[in-house]
Amino acid sequence: MTLPLLPGNSFNRNMGKEKFHKSQHWGFCNNVMMLVSEEKPGIGGDLLPGQKIKPKNTVFPKGDGADVPSWVAFDKQVLSFDAYLEDEVPDKRQENYRIRYYKIYFYLEDDTIQVNEPEVINSGIPQGTSIRRHRIPLPPPDDDQFYNVYHFNINVDIVFYGRTFKIYDCDKFTKNFLKKIGIKLNPPIPRPVDPYMKMRRETLEFVDPFRPYQYFDTMKRYLQYDGKVLRFFCLWDDSSSLFGDRREFVLHYFLSDGSIEIREFLPLNSGRDAMSSFLRRSKVPKYGPPGIFQPGQITDRAVLNVYGGLSEWRADGYLLDKYQLGKVEQEFYTDRDLTIGATINVWGRKVLLCDCDEFTKSYYKTKYGIDNFTAIPCKPPPLPKIERKYPPYTGFGSEEDSFRSCVGLKPTPHRRNFKKFMELDSYGNISNILRYFGKLITDKCADVDRMFVIAFYLSDDTLSVFEPIERNSGNAGGMFLKRSRVKKPGQEVFKSEFSEYIKAEELYVGATVNVNGYLFLLLNADEYTLKYMEDNPDKFPYSNLELAVQKLQQEKSKLREITQVFSAADPNHTKVVPYNTFREILMSITMGQLIDQELITIARYYRVPENTDPEITCLFSRAHEKFKKNMFENFDMFIYNCVYEDREKKGVLPTKDIKRMCKSSRLPLSEDLLDNLLSRFEDEEHQINYKLFFSLLNWRMNPAPELQSPPYLKETCEDVWVGMPSPIPVKYIRYLDFLKDVYGIEENYS
């Protein structure tokens, strides 16, 4: 028993429903209210009783896999069918019907169809897109449905808006797709031939016009190759004739019209007039001068007569010779005849093509597939070089001055190597001067203990010798040899060749240098010289650590003896030995094969670093001395500026701000000295107590003790090495690290 439809006894059918809108069926068309559509649903999109809605999606099955929309799954996938249509022609007696061919495209993403007709030249029929892309309904009585993929097959008829299309074939993709969805394809049928087009082809094949139209497509070639020119480098050897010589040309072949232009390359002082054009632009015949011909014989067209003015409607014209009886056949050079190594006839002159440019190579490689472009030398063989002899050195001035007086009538000064001078001249802290401490080698007892400073200037390869002044030594000291280039011994004085001079590569610790007959033994060098030699091991092989270690590795057979000697030299196991002990051990191991420069290089690499950091008192003394020389006293300004910068009133500021303030106020301190002072007052957070720092710098309020000169400082002049060098380059050497790197000995070898 069913419940009566009373309030509370029935279910609410609108429960969960959110759409209650009603479709609008009425609208305005030409300002007239009328029924727009009868297929719209009822309230909320529900169908009315007995209403059917046409499907909007394809009937193609979704298939297996991810459920993606059709416009994603079938994007850019189109089925292509070949079809034809029999079009009746009732108004012509030459043909009753005409066959027209079409391409039917079916888009799988939305079941739209497009029909295109390929264009045929001179058909007289509008062709192209016959039916634009959209969904096409089926013919009546199923006009409420649309075509889908299952309606298409080979050898079937398709009706589009009353026109019947016969499908006779499809492409490979369409066949594979239809087979995969289960459609059995019919075999393709041959495409029928249009009877009218067949009749036209047969008629044109047997038509032989009495006055044929001669078509010369010169404009197409001009537009395609305008501005494109082939360039060849060629040679005309006319040396066999009287007063003839070898002449170099540049041949230009213009692709737009096949003409050739030749320009002559005139070298300097050739004695010829400055006329670069050797052959004006024209076509060049292959077989020399053609002779004398009547006007109109050598032409592309043979003209019989010219007519005009016969009637008002007839334009002026001309008659062509069908058989071209009077035409003279003549061949001209084309791009096919121009290749490297070919000889062309330029009006009786044999011109050899020797080379071409890159555009010409790419043109022949693209058009003719030529890859071999081996050039032929155009230059004549060089004349035998006559060795020029110069007179020997006269003895006046330098050798360069004597040489320059023999080069030309007007003597010119010798040019220095200005580039080398600018690169290796002294600037800033880089001196580019190699200084060595040497001892004079002599048999005279009074000169045995004389020491000298030898300076070599890299900018111009000059050398100077200075003797430090020592009191009560019996020697005056001072400049021993002024700055000049020093010749190597054993050379002839009066000769035509330049003399050889001492170079920087010949100077090293342990070397003997002959300076104008005086022998100097180089005992040591300053820090800059040793570092420069180690940075340039290609020029100074004795400062190459790897080469020095290789000599020591050759003595690996004495490994046990080496370990015992170093153990005996270090009884307290400090892992370091003095330099003199290290030197004696290595010299005894290698039997004197190592020179002093190699020993110094090894010792400097394994040296124990020394604490060269000056004391705070010494730093303030140096700073106060700078302030006194420059009369700098405005320290209160720094404190006022720091208080202004210290917005939080902490009494400290970052180190970088203090340094920026000092440099902007031009504090007369070098950057190294300022960095050392700031590092002494810097805390863990890289901040400085500015009041304490600038109060200590105030030499008026807090004077520091005066800076004392070292006891070993000697009198100086312009070339003196300030401070006598230490007899040893380093104090202590880490011999255990040396044994590990050279011989692979472990730490617990003892």
Side-chain angles (χ1 to χ4, degrees):
M1 181 178 180
T2 60
L3 296 176
L5 297 177
L6 297 176
N9 295 336
S10 62
F11 296 100
N12 187 5
R13 300 183 182 273
N14 294 329
M15 184 178 297
K17 191 173 183 180
E18 297 179 356
K19 297 181 180 180
F20 297 96
H21 64 276
K22 184 177 181 181
S23 301
Q24 181 179 354
H25 292 264
W26 295 92
F28 288 91
C29 182
N30 295 330
N31 296 326
V32 178
M33 187 175 182
M34 57 186 303
L35 185 64
V36 177
S37 175
E38 299 180 355
E39 299 179 356
K40 292 187 177 181
I43 297 176
D46 295 337
L47 298 179
L48 300 175
Q51 185 181 17
K52 294 182 180 180
I53 301 297
K54 294 181 181 180
K56 295 183 179 180
N57 299 326
T58 179
V59 297
F60 181 75
K62 296 181 180 179
D64 300 332
D67 187 9
V68 295
S70 60
W71 54 272
V72 176
F74 303 111
D75 185 28
K76 298 181 182 179
Q77 297 187 10
V78 184
L79 304 183
S80 176
F81 298 93
D82 298 326
Y84 67 91
L85 174 67
E86 293 185 2
D87 193 4
E88 295 183 359
V89 185
D91 298 337
K92 290 187 178 181
R93 62 183 180 87
Q94 294 89 349
E95 53 180 342
N96 297 326
Y97 66 95
R98 180 173 296 172
I99 302 297
R100 302 176 65 176
Y101 307 105
Y102 292 89
K103 281 280 188 179
I104 301 176
Y105 298 104
F106 184 85
Y107 295 86
L108 295 172
E109 56 179 295
D110 55 359
D111 289 357
T112 55
I113 300 173
Q114 181 176 352
V115 181
N116 293 347
E117 182 180 6
E119 295 184 1
V120 180
I121 299 176
N122 298 329
S123 63
I125 303 174
Q127 295 173 334
T129 302
S130 179
I131 301 176
R132 63 177 178 82
R133 178 179 172 181
H134 66 287
R135 298 180 68 194
I136 301 177
L138 295 174
D142 300 326
D143 53 350
D144 58 340
Q145 302 179 13
F146 298 94
Y147 277 100
N148 54 55
V149 70
Y150 292 102
H151 291 99
F152 291 88
N153 203 333
I154 300 176
N155 198 7
V156 298
D157 296 336
I158 300 294
V159 180
F160 293 154
Y161 300 111
R163 304 179 69 187
T164 304
F165 295 87
K166 183 73 173 182
I167 299 177
Y168 62 88
D169 202 355
C170 61
D171 60 358
K172 186 176 180 180
F173 171 76
T174 305
K175 292 179 181 179
N176 295 336
F177 187 85
L178 295 178
K179 288 179 182 179
K180 289 181 180 179
I181 64 176
I183 297 178
K184 184 178 180 181
L185 293 176
N186 300 327
I189 60 176
R191 186 178 70 171
V193 180
D194 187 7
Y196 179 72
M197 296 300 295
K198 181 180 179 182
M199 180 186 67
R200 286 188 58 184
R201 284 194 299 268
E202 293 176 354
T203 304
L204 293 175
E205 290 177 358
F206 293 99
V207 171
D208 186 11
F210 182 72
R211 296 176 182 173
Y213 174 70
Q214 298 180 0
Y215 178 70
F216 295 93
D217 189 10
T218 57
M219 181 58 69
K220 178 180 179 182
R221 181 177 179 180
Y222 173 78
L223 295 176
Q224 183 178 1
Y225 294 108
D226 183 32
K228 297 181 180 179
V229 183
L230 305 181
R231 183 170 63 169
F232 291 89
F233 305 98
C234 46
L235 173 68
W236 175 36
D237 191 358
D238 192 32
S239 57
S240 59
S241 61
L242 184 63
F243 304 113
D245 57 355
R246 298 164 61 94
R247 303 175 67 175
E248 299 179 12
F249 299 122
V250 177
L251 185 145
H252 294 155
Y253 180 84
F254 297 87
L255 294 173
S256 59
D257 57 355
S259 59
I260 294 177
E261 177 192 45
I262 298 180
R263 293 183 173 272
E264 185 176 5
F265 175 75
L266 296 175
L268 297 176
N269 301 325
S270 62
R272 297 185 179 274
D273 293 336
M275 295 181 62
S276 60
S277 180
F278 182 77
L279 176 68
R280 65 180 178 85
R281 179 176 175 180
S282 61
K283 289 188 177 182
V284 179
K286 287 186 178 181
Y287 306 107
I292 301 175
F293 297 97
Q294 296 295 328
Q297 286 183 297
I298 304 178
T299 57
D300 295 333
R301 300 181 180 184
V303 181
L304 292 178
N305 194 4
V306 179
Y307 58 88
L310 298 179
S311 61
E312 296 181 358
W313 58 270
R314 190 168 185 177
D316 297 339
Y318 49 85
L319 297 178
L320 300 179
D321 185 5
K322 175 182 178 182
Y323 302 102
Q324 298 181 353
L325 298 177
K327 183 179 180 181
V328 177
E329 296 291 341
Q330 188 174 12
E331 296 185 20
F332 297 96
Y333 281 106
T334 61
D335 57 347
R336 189 183 296 272
D337 303 320
L338 304 179
T339 57
I340 296 178
T343 303
I344 63 175
N345 184 2
V346 182
W347 302 100
R349 296 167 178 83
K350 304 298 181 181
V351 178
L352 175 65
L353 303 182
C354 301
D355 199 0
C356 59
D357 60 358
E358 294 298 331
F359 171 75
T360 307
K361 293 179 182 179
S362 61
Y363 174 81
Y364 278 94
K365 186 175 182 180
T366 304
K367 186 174 182 179
Y368 298 108
I370 299 176
D371 295 330
N372 186 12
F373 298 100
T374 304
I376 300 175
C378 299
K379 301 294 182 182
L383 298 175
K385 186 176 182 180
I386 301 176
E387 184 179 359
R388 188 174 182 180
K389 296 183 179 180
Y390 297 95
Y393 174 52
T394 60
F396 296 96
S398 63
E399 296 178 351
E400 290 79 6
D401 295 337
S402 178
F403 171 76
R404 297 302 301 179
S405 64
C406 301
V407 172
L409 295 177
K410 184 179 180 180
T412 56
H414 174 67
R415 293 183 179 180
R416 300 172 56 187
N417 192 346
F418 187 73
K419 181 179 179 182
K420 179 180 179 180
F421 177 79
M422 294 300 295
E423 291 178 352
L424 299 179
D425 191 23
S426 301
Y427 62 95
N429 296 328
I430 301 176
S431 63
N432 284 322
I433 302 175
L434 306 182
R435 290 188 174 91
Y436 301 88
F437 190 66
K439 178 181 180 182
L440 183 64
I441 302 176
T442 181
D443 297 334
K444 298 180 180 180
C445 298
D447 298 336
V448 170
D449 296 332
R450 296 179 66 180
M451 298 294 177
F452 297 87
V453 175
I454 301 173
F456 188 88
Y457 299 84
L458 297 174
S459 59
D460 54 359
D461 295 340
T462 56
L463 186 142
S464 65
V465 181
F466 175 82
E467 183 179 8
I469 300 175
E470 294 188 10
R471 296 178 180 177
N472 301 325
S473 63
N475 298 317
M479 185 63 66
F480 185 82
L481 175 67
K482 69 177 183 178
R483 179 176 175 179
S484 61
R485 290 191 300 172
V486 179
K487 295 182 181 180
K488 294 182 181 179
Q491 300 185 72
E492 185 181 353
V493 178
F494 302 101
K495 60 182 185 301
S496 301
E497 297 80 11
F498 290 137
S499 300
E500 296 183 3
Y501 297 88
I502 295 178
K503 299 180 180 179
E505 292 80 0
E506 302 173 3
L507 303 179
Y508 53 87
V509 178
T512 302
V513 184
N514 189 332
V515 181
N516 297 335
Y518 293 91
L519 297 180
F520 293 93
L521 177 63
L522 304 184
L523 303 177
N524 204 347
D526 63 353
E527 177 67 22
Y528 175 80
T529 303
L530 295 175
K531 189 175 185 306
Y532 181 85
M533 297 170 70
E534 292 171 358
D535 294 339
N536 299 275
D538 53 338
K539 296 182 179 180
F540 303 92
Y542 293 122
S543 296
N544 193 337
L545 181 64
E546 297 180 358
L547 297 179
V549 169
Q550 289 178 2
K551 291 185 179 181
L552 294 173
Q553 290 178 348
Q554 296 177 358
E555 307 295 336
K556 199 170 184 179
S557 58
K558 304 178 183 179
L559 180 60
R560 184 176 181 84
E561 179 184 353
I562 294 171
T563 55
Q564 292 176 357
V565 171
F566 275 106
S567 298
D570 184 23
N572 298 328
H573 301 287
T574 59
K575 301 181 182 180
V576 295
V577 293
Y579 171 76
N580 291 331
T581 304
F582 183 77
R583 182 181 183 279
E584 292 176 0
I585 294 174
L586 293 188
M587 293 298 290
S588 62
I589 291 173
T590 58
M591 303 297 294
Q593 294 183 4
L594 288 178
I595 64 174
D596 291 338
Q597 183 66 49
E598 294 175 326
L599 284 170
I600 292 175
T601 303
I602 298 174
R604 284 170 54 84
Y605 185 79
Y606 294 99
R607 64 183 172 182
V608 177
E610 300 179 6
N611 185 15
T612 59
D613 191 13
E615 297 181 357
I616 187 66
T617 306
C618 181
L619 292 177
F620 275 107
S621 299
R622 291 169 56 188
H624 287 183
E625 185 178 0
K626 291 284 186 181
F627 296 147
K628 291 177 183 178
K629 289 182 178 180
N630 293 273
M631 295 301 295
F632 188 86
E633 300 179 358
N634 196 6
F635 294 98
D636 295 336
M637 178 190 66
F638 287 97
I639 298 178
Y640 295 153
N641 293 338
C642 292
V643 171
Y644 177 77
E645 294 288 340
D646 188 13
R647 302 300 176 86
E648 299 180 0
K649 307 301 179 182
K650 292 184 178 181
V652 293
L653 285 177
T655 305
K656 60 180 182 180
D657 294 342
I658 300 293
K659 184 177 181 180
R660 173 180 52 80
M661 191 180 302
C662 294
K663 294 180 74 65
S664 62
S665 300
R666 297 182 180 181
L667 194 69
L669 295 178
S670 63
E671 189 171 358
D672 296 338
L673 180 57
L674 180 61
D675 291 339
N676 288 332
L677 289 171
L678 293 175
S679 62
R680 296 305 181 93
F681 287 86
E682 189 179 27
D683 56 7
E684 297 179 354
E685 297 180 356
H686 301 286
Q687 293 181 345
I688 294 177
N689 188 339
Y690 51 85
K691 291 185 178 180
L692 177 62
F693 178 72
F694 288 108
S695 297
L696 294 176
L697 287 181
N698 194 339
W699 57 278
R700 290 286 189 186
M701 303 297 295
N702 299 306
E706 295 184 359
L707 185 64
Q708 299 293 332
S709 301
Y712 55 82
L713 188 62
K714 305 296 181 181
E715 296 183 17
T716 62
C717 69
E718 58 177 358
D719 283 344
V720 72
W721 181 356
V722 179
M724 300 297 291
S726 175
I728 56 175
V730 295
K731 291 184 178 180
Y732 297 99
I733 299 171
R734 297 176 284 108
Y735 73 91
L736 188 58
D737 296 338
F738 165 75
L739 294 177
K740 288 180 183 179
D741 297 340
V742 179
Y743 300 106
I745 300 177
E746 300 295 336
E747 186 175 356
N748 55 354
Y749 67 95
S750 59

